[in-house]
Amino acid sequence: MKILKAGADYSPDARSSIVAAVLLGIVANISFIIQPGLVGGFVEGLGLGEQQAGELAAAEMFGIAIATIVLSLASLKVNWRASFLFFSAVAIAGNLVSAYMTEFADLVLARLLSGLGHGGLISLSFSAVGLTSKTDRNIGIYLAVLLSYGAVGLLAMPSLMATIGLKGIFISFSLVVLIGIGLVGYLPDQAKNEEEVPEATEPLNIKLLVPALLGYLAYNISQGIVWAYLFLIGVSNGLEEQVVANALFVSQIFGVLGALIAIVVSARVVGRFAPLTIGILGGAVFIALLLLKVDYFIYLIAVCGFNLMWNKVLPFILAAISDFDLRGRVMPFALAIQMFGLAVGPYIASQIVGDGDYRAVELASIFFFVLGYILLIVPIMMRKKQQKLELKKAL
């Protein structure tokens, strides 16, 4: 088959390869990026409680995390295109099964299976972008396109729930994955080989890499804690479902703006410290607004600021982490950590959420924001200093 053929013609920086990776990113993230709407659908459409809805979101995210962890260990050895076909089949099966499950325990298993499939797709599409030479820019493009889909998806969720319901939504997910298979042949078939890496590449600095990855884990836990419940937080403050959906739609536009800022404002120009500090701690500040007496205006500012900071800083964090290893070995592992954090987050939130009270969820998110910043900023800045010294020696 053409899509399984080793692709010497498809370099990571080829335009066709980048476009395919970006479009497949939508296929891969099709449910996660509209997770607040799905969690709201679990409550409103299935009559589940807030804790069960959060556990369903966590089940899918744990499936995603497991798949990305497996691929982080195997990405240098497996054929990426064959893997994409396999995980596409798993994702299709998981979504179709989800459409017909009526018992909570069965639905948990179905969403776990779906997560396994989508996790593989996320890892492969994101890793393909991570191999490009202009990582900051291309991750920004990836996020901008993905968030554009997310904006439309969140806006349409109340209408979709009223017309086709969760069953129709899950079947639609399966159809999109099926269509996406046609793009697989434009992906690189594997990670970079040893001969493709500059001879001067330094070995991994584990003492700096480990705390950076732990910081990235904490940062994503903070995101996962609050992201799953953003829709319900709005509804709990007396806002109508469509009004909340509208606010989340606008927030996704701000997310696109954040990703575009990351495309335009290169870390080579502004450095790492300012974007990381503003992006991470700024996100904590916007979530803190939800601790106030929330009306529509405050909710809109909070969710828009949160999405802006999240998507502005994420390309800078990933580009900084990718600097630890030019072979591309760190990027799949970083993605696994990201997805594990986004799985742990909803689970933590589901265990501490009150009956219509989300204060503990918001406080936990803020705590992990700050912890992630502390763990990230020190090793990243030390690595940057180390690279400058290496450059001086080379000159």
PDB file of all heavy atoms in Angstrom, residues 195-218:
ATOM      1  N   GLU A 195      22.008   9.439  11.394  1.00  0.00           N
ATOM      2  CA  GLU A 195      22.784  10.195  10.424  1.00  0.00           C
ATOM      3  C   GLU A 195      22.144  11.536  10.069  1.00  0.00           C
ATOM      4  O   GLU A 195      22.778  12.379   9.444  1.00  0.00           O
ATOM      5  CB  GLU A 195      22.983   9.373   9.147  1.00  0.00           C
ATOM      6  CG  GLU A 195      21.693   8.951   8.465  1.00  0.00           C
ATOM      7  CD  GLU A 195      21.198   7.602   8.962  1.00  0.00           C
ATOM      8  OE1 GLU A 195      21.636   7.178  10.045  1.00  0.00           O
ATOM      9  OE2 GLU A 195      20.383   6.976   8.257  1.00  0.00           O
ATOM     10  N   GLU A 196      20.859  11.736  10.460  1.00  0.00           N
ATOM     11  CA  GLU A 196      20.187  12.999  10.169  1.00  0.00           C
ATOM     12  C   GLU A 196      20.424  14.043  11.246  1.00  0.00           C
ATOM     13  O   GLU A 196      20.008  15.177  11.113  1.00  0.00           O
ATOM     14  CB  GLU A 196      18.685  12.775  10.019  1.00  0.00           C
ATOM     15  CG  GLU A 196      18.294  11.870   8.876  1.00  0.00           C
ATOM     16  CD  GLU A 196      16.808  11.654   8.836  1.00  0.00           C
ATOM     17  OE1 GLU A 196      16.091  12.469   8.217  1.00  0.00           O
ATOM     18  OE2 GLU A 196      16.333  10.680   9.444  1.00  0.00           O
ATOM     19  N   VAL A 197      21.076  13.666  12.326  1.00  0.00           N
ATOM     20  CA  VAL A 197      21.279  14.556  13.456  1.00  0.00           C
ATOM     21  C   VAL A 197      22.674  15.161  13.387  1.00  0.00           C
ATOM     22  O   VAL A 197      23.643  14.461  13.077  1.00  0.00           O
ATOM     23  CB  VAL A 197      21.108  13.784  14.788  1.00  0.00           C
ATOM     24  CG1 VAL A 197      21.249  14.728  15.978  1.00  0.00           C
ATOM     25  CG2 VAL A 197      19.749  13.104  14.818  1.00  0.00           C
ATOM     26  N   PRO A 198      22.824  16.451  13.658  1.00  0.00           N
ATOM     27  CA  PRO A 198      24.151  17.059  13.621  1.00  0.00           C
ATOM     28  C   PRO A 198      25.129  16.317  14.515  1.00  0.00           C
ATOM     29  O   PRO A 198      24.794  15.887  15.612  1.00  0.00           O
ATOM     30  CB  PRO A 198      23.895  18.476  14.150  1.00  0.00           C
ATOM     31  CG  PRO A 198      22.450  18.737  13.842  1.00  0.00           C
ATOM     32  CD  PRO A 198      21.764  17.423  13.988  1.00  0.00           C
ATOM     33  N   GLU A 199      26.382  16.184  14.030  1.00  0.00           N
ATOM     34  CA  GLU A 199      27.393  15.452  14.788  1.00  0.00           C
ATOM     35  C   GLU A 199      27.690  16.104  16.133  1.00  0.00           C
ATOM     36  O   GLU A 199      28.092  15.442  17.076  1.00  0.00           O
ATOM     37  CB  GLU A 199      28.685  15.362  13.968  1.00  0.00           C
ATOM     38  CG  GLU A 199      28.551  14.502  12.711  1.00  0.00           C
ATOM     39  CD  GLU A 199      29.853  14.415  11.954  1.00  0.00           C
ATOM     40  OE1 GLU A 199      30.868  14.943  12.451  1.00  0.00           O
ATOM     41  OE2 GLU A 199      29.869  13.814  10.865  1.00  0.00           O
ATOM     42  N   ALA A 200      27.466  17.403  16.210  1.00  0.00           N
ATOM     43  CA  ALA A 200      27.790  18.128  17.446  1.00  0.00           C
ATOM     44  C   ALA A 200      26.726  18.010  18.517  1.00  0.00           C
ATOM     45  O   ALA A 200      26.817  18.630  19.563  1.00  0.00           O
ATOM     46  CB  ALA A 200      28.011  19.614  17.130  1.00  0.00           C
ATOM     47  N   THR A 201      25.680  17.212  18.246  1.00  0.00           N
ATOM     48  CA  THR A 201      24.602  17.090  19.214  1.00  0.00           C
ATOM     49  C   THR A 201      25.125  16.603  20.566  1.00  0.00           C
ATOM     50  O   THR A 201      25.814  15.583  20.649  1.00  0.00           O
ATOM     51  CB  THR A 201      23.534  16.093  18.701  1.00  0.00           C
ATOM     52  OG1 THR A 201      22.999  16.607  17.493  1.00  0.00           O
ATOM     53  CG2 THR A 201      22.425  15.924  19.722  1.00  0.00           C
ATOM     54  N   GLU A 202      24.761  17.317  21.621  1.00  0.00           N
ATOM     55  CA  GLU A 202      25.204  16.949  22.960  1.00  0.00           C
ATOM     56  C   GLU A 202      24.309  15.854  23.534  1.00  0.00           C
ATOM     57  O   GLU A 202      23.135  15.746  23.182  1.00  0.00           O
ATOM     58  CB  GLU A 202      25.153  18.179  23.876  1.00  0.00           C
ATOM     59  CG  GLU A 202      26.121  19.284  23.489  1.00  0.00           C
ATOM     60  CD  GLU A 202      27.559  18.895  23.760  1.00  0.00           C
ATOM     61  OE1 GLU A 202      27.797  18.162  24.728  1.00  0.00           O
ATOM     62  OE2 GLU A 202      28.437  19.309  22.983  1.00  0.00           O
ATOM     63  N   PRO A 203      24.828  15.019  24.445  1.00  0.00           N
ATOM     64  CA  PRO A 203      23.986  14.024  25.095  1.00  0.00           C
ATOM     65  C   PRO A 203      22.947  14.689  25.996  1.00  0.00           C
ATOM     66  O   PRO A 203      23.101  15.847  26.387  1.00  0.00           O
ATOM     67  CB  PRO A 203      24.987  13.205  25.931  1.00  0.00           C
ATOM     68  CG  PRO A 203      26.145  14.135  26.155  1.00  0.00           C
ATOM     69  CD  PRO A 203      26.222  14.973  24.904  1.00  0.00           C
ATOM     70  N   LEU A 204      21.903  13.951  26.291  1.00  0.00           N
ATOM     71  CA  LEU A 204      20.841  14.485  27.147  1.00  0.00           C
ATOM     72  C   LEU A 204      21.386  14.868  28.517  1.00  0.00           C
ATOM     73  O   LEU A 204      22.142  14.113  29.133  1.00  0.00           O
ATOM     74  CB  LEU A 204      19.738  13.445  27.315  1.00  0.00           C
ATOM     75  CG  LEU A 204      18.800  13.223  26.132  1.00  0.00           C
ATOM     76  CD1 LEU A 204      17.889  12.043  26.423  1.00  0.00           C
ATOM     77  CD2 LEU A 204      17.993  14.448  25.828  1.00  0.00           C
ATOM     78  N   ASN A 205      20.966  16.033  28.992  1.00  0.00           N
ATOM     79  CA  ASN A 205      21.303  16.457  30.348  1.00  0.00           C
ATOM     80  C   ASN A 205      20.137  16.069  31.251  1.00  0.00           C
ATOM     81  O   ASN A 205      19.173  16.815  31.413  1.00  0.00           O
ATOM     82  CB  ASN A 205      21.548  17.968  30.385  1.00  0.00           C
ATOM     83  CG  ASN A 205      22.115  18.416  31.726  1.00  0.00           C
ATOM     84  OD1 ASN A 205      21.777  17.858  32.773  1.00  0.00           O
ATOM     85  ND2 ASN A 205      22.955  19.428  31.701  1.00  0.00           N
ATOM     86  N   ILE A 206      20.220  14.873  31.826  1.00  0.00           N
ATOM     87  CA  ILE A 206      19.113  14.325  32.603  1.00  0.00           C
ATOM     88  C   ILE A 206      18.799  15.183  33.824  1.00  0.00           C
ATOM     89  O   ILE A 206      17.625  15.345  34.196  1.00  0.00           O
ATOM     90  CB  ILE A 206      19.422  12.877  33.046  1.00  0.00           C
ATOM     91  CG1 ILE A 206      19.650  11.991  31.817  1.00  0.00           C
ATOM     92  CG2 ILE A 206      18.295  12.322  33.907  1.00  0.00           C
ATOM     93  CD1 ILE A 206      18.444  11.909  30.899  1.00  0.00           C
ATOM     94  N   LYS A 207      19.830  15.763  34.442  1.00  0.00           N
ATOM     95  CA  LYS A 207      19.612  16.558  35.648  1.00  0.00           C
ATOM     96  C   LYS A 207      18.741  17.782  35.370  1.00  0.00           C
ATOM     97  O   LYS A 207      18.043  18.267  36.270  1.00  0.00           O
ATOM     98  CB  LYS A 207      20.954  16.997  36.232  1.00  0.00           C
ATOM     99  CG  LYS A 207      21.765  15.858  36.829  1.00  0.00           C
ATOM    100  CD  LYS A 207      23.067  16.358  37.435  1.00  0.00           C
ATOM    101  CE  LYS A 207      23.877  15.214  38.029  1.00  0.00           C
ATOM    102  NZ  LYS A 207      25.153  15.689  38.612  1.00  0.00           N
ATOM    103  N   LEU A 208      18.795  18.292  34.161  1.00  0.00           N
ATOM    104  CA  LEU A 208      17.940  19.412  33.791  1.00  0.00           C
ATOM    105  C   LEU A 208      16.617  18.937  33.172  1.00  0.00           C
ATOM    106  O   LEU A 208      15.566  19.545  33.389  1.00  0.00           O
ATOM    107  CB  LEU A 208      18.660  20.329  32.798  1.00  0.00           C
ATOM    108  CG  LEU A 208      19.882  21.092  33.309  1.00  0.00           C
ATOM    109  CD1 LEU A 208      20.450  21.969  32.199  1.00  0.00           C
ATOM    110  CD2 LEU A 208      19.526  21.951  34.521  1.00  0.00           C
ATOM    111  N   LEU A 209      16.683  17.855  32.410  1.00  0.00           N
ATOM    112  CA  LEU A 209      15.502  17.380  31.702  1.00  0.00           C
ATOM    113  C   LEU A 209      14.425  16.872  32.654  1.00  0.00           C
ATOM    114  O   LEU A 209      13.234  17.166  32.472  1.00  0.00           O
ATOM    115  CB  LEU A 209      15.892  16.273  30.724  1.00  0.00           C
ATOM    116  CG  LEU A 209      14.744  15.652  29.922  1.00  0.00           C
ATOM    117  CD1 LEU A 209      14.055  16.699  29.065  1.00  0.00           C
ATOM    118  CD2 LEU A 209      15.262  14.507  29.058  1.00  0.00           C
ATOM    119  N   VAL A 210      14.800  16.126  33.688  1.00  0.00           N
ATOM    120  CA  VAL A 210      13.815  15.528  34.594  1.00  0.00           C
ATOM    121  C   VAL A 210      12.954  16.578  35.292  1.00  0.00           C
ATOM    122  O   VAL A 210      11.718  16.487  35.264  1.00  0.00           O
ATOM    123  CB  VAL A 210      14.504  14.588  35.614  1.00  0.00           C
ATOM    124  CG1 VAL A 210      13.513  14.181  36.709  1.00  0.00           C
ATOM    125  CG2 VAL A 210      15.045  13.350  34.908  1.00  0.00           C
ATOM    126  N   PRO A 211      13.546  17.598  35.952  1.00  0.00           N
ATOM    127  CA  PRO A 211      12.677  18.606  36.578  1.00  0.00           C
ATOM    128  C   PRO A 211      11.842  19.372  35.558  1.00  0.00           C
ATOM    129  O   PRO A 211      10.703  19.761  35.859  1.00  0.00           O
ATOM    130  CB  PRO A 211      13.653  19.531  37.305  1.00  0.00           C
ATOM    131  CG  PRO A 211      14.989  19.263  36.718  1.00  0.00           C
ATOM    132  CD  PRO A 211      14.966  17.848  36.272  1.00  0.00           C
ATOM    133  N   ALA A 212      12.370  19.583  34.352  1.00  0.00           N
ATOM    134  CA  ALA A 212      11.587  20.270  33.314  1.00  0.00           C
ATOM    135  C   ALA A 212      10.359  19.448  32.942  1.00  0.00           C
ATOM    136  O   ALA A 212       9.251  19.988  32.801  1.00  0.00           O
ATOM    137  CB  ALA A 212      12.447  20.534  32.088  1.00  0.00           C
ATOM    138  N   LEU A 213      10.533  18.144  32.793  1.00  0.00           N
ATOM    139  CA  LEU A 213       9.409  17.279  32.456  1.00  0.00           C
ATOM    140  C   LEU A 213       8.415  17.173  33.610  1.00  0.00           C
ATOM    141  O   LEU A 213       7.197  17.107  33.385  1.00  0.00           O
ATOM    142  CB  LEU A 213       9.914  15.895  32.054  1.00  0.00           C
ATOM    143  CG  LEU A 213      10.680  15.827  30.724  1.00  0.00           C
ATOM    144  CD1 LEU A 213      11.210  14.419  30.477  1.00  0.00           C
ATOM    145  CD2 LEU A 213       9.790  16.268  29.555  1.00  0.00           C
ATOM    146  N   LEU A 214       8.912  17.168  34.844  1.00  0.00           N
ATOM    147  CA  LEU A 214       8.010  17.174  36.002  1.00  0.00           C
ATOM    148  C   LEU A 214       7.204  18.471  36.053  1.00  0.00           C
ATOM    149  O   LEU A 214       6.016  18.471  36.388  1.00  0.00           O
ATOM    150  CB  LEU A 214       8.810  16.991  37.295  1.00  0.00           C
ATOM    151  CG  LEU A 214       9.390  15.599  37.546  1.00  0.00           C
ATOM    152  CD1 LEU A 214      10.255  15.603  38.804  1.00  0.00           C
ATOM    153  CD2 LEU A 214       8.266  14.564  37.687  1.00  0.00           C
ATOM    154  N   GLY A 215       7.870  19.576  35.706  1.00  0.00           N
ATOM    155  CA  GLY A 215       7.161  20.844  35.641  1.00  0.00           C
ATOM    156  C   GLY A 215       6.099  20.833  34.558  1.00  0.00           C
ATOM    157  O   GLY A 215       4.996  21.367  34.745  1.00  0.00           O
ATOM    158  N   TYR A 216       6.416  20.220  33.436  1.00  0.00           N
ATOM    159  CA  TYR A 216       5.448  20.121  32.350  1.00  0.00           C
ATOM    160  C   TYR A 216       4.265  19.241  32.757  1.00  0.00           C
ATOM    161  O   TYR A 216       3.119  19.510  32.395  1.00  0.00           O
ATOM    162  CB  TYR A 216       6.138  19.557  31.114  1.00  0.00           C
ATOM    163  CG  TYR A 216       5.319  19.657  29.859  1.00  0.00           C
ATOM    164  CD1 TYR A 216       4.714  20.851  29.483  1.00  0.00           C
ATOM    165  CD2 TYR A 216       5.158  18.556  29.020  1.00  0.00           C
ATOM    166  CE1 TYR A 216       3.960  20.950  28.326  1.00  0.00           C
ATOM    167  CE2 TYR A 216       4.419  18.645  27.855  1.00  0.00           C
ATOM    168  CZ  TYR A 216       3.817  19.845  27.516  1.00  0.00           C
ATOM    169  OH  TYR A 216       3.070  19.934  26.360  1.00  0.00           O
ATOM    170  N   LEU A 217       4.546  18.198  33.542  1.00  0.00           N
ATOM    171  CA  LEU A 217       3.477  17.359  34.069  1.00  0.00           C
ATOM    172  C   LEU A 217       2.554  18.169  34.976  1.00  0.00           C
ATOM    173  O   LEU A 217       1.323  18.126  34.831  1.00  0.00           O
ATOM    174  CB  LEU A 217       4.071  16.179  34.847  1.00  0.00           C
ATOM    175  CG  LEU A 217       3.075  15.293  35.602  1.00  0.00           C
ATOM    176  CD1 LEU A 217       2.106  14.626  34.632  1.00  0.00           C
ATOM    177  CD2 LEU A 217       3.819  14.250  36.433  1.00  0.00           C
ATOM    178  N   ALA A 218       3.137  18.928  35.909  1.00  0.00           N
ATOM    179  CA  ALA A 218       2.330  19.741  36.832  1.00  0.00           C
ATOM    180  C   ALA A 218       1.509  20.766  36.067  1.00  0.00           C
ATOM    181  O   ALA A 218       0.333  21.004  36.373  1.00  0.00           O
ATOM    182  CB  ALA A 218       3.240  20.428  37.848  1.00  0.00           C
TER     183      ALA A 218
END
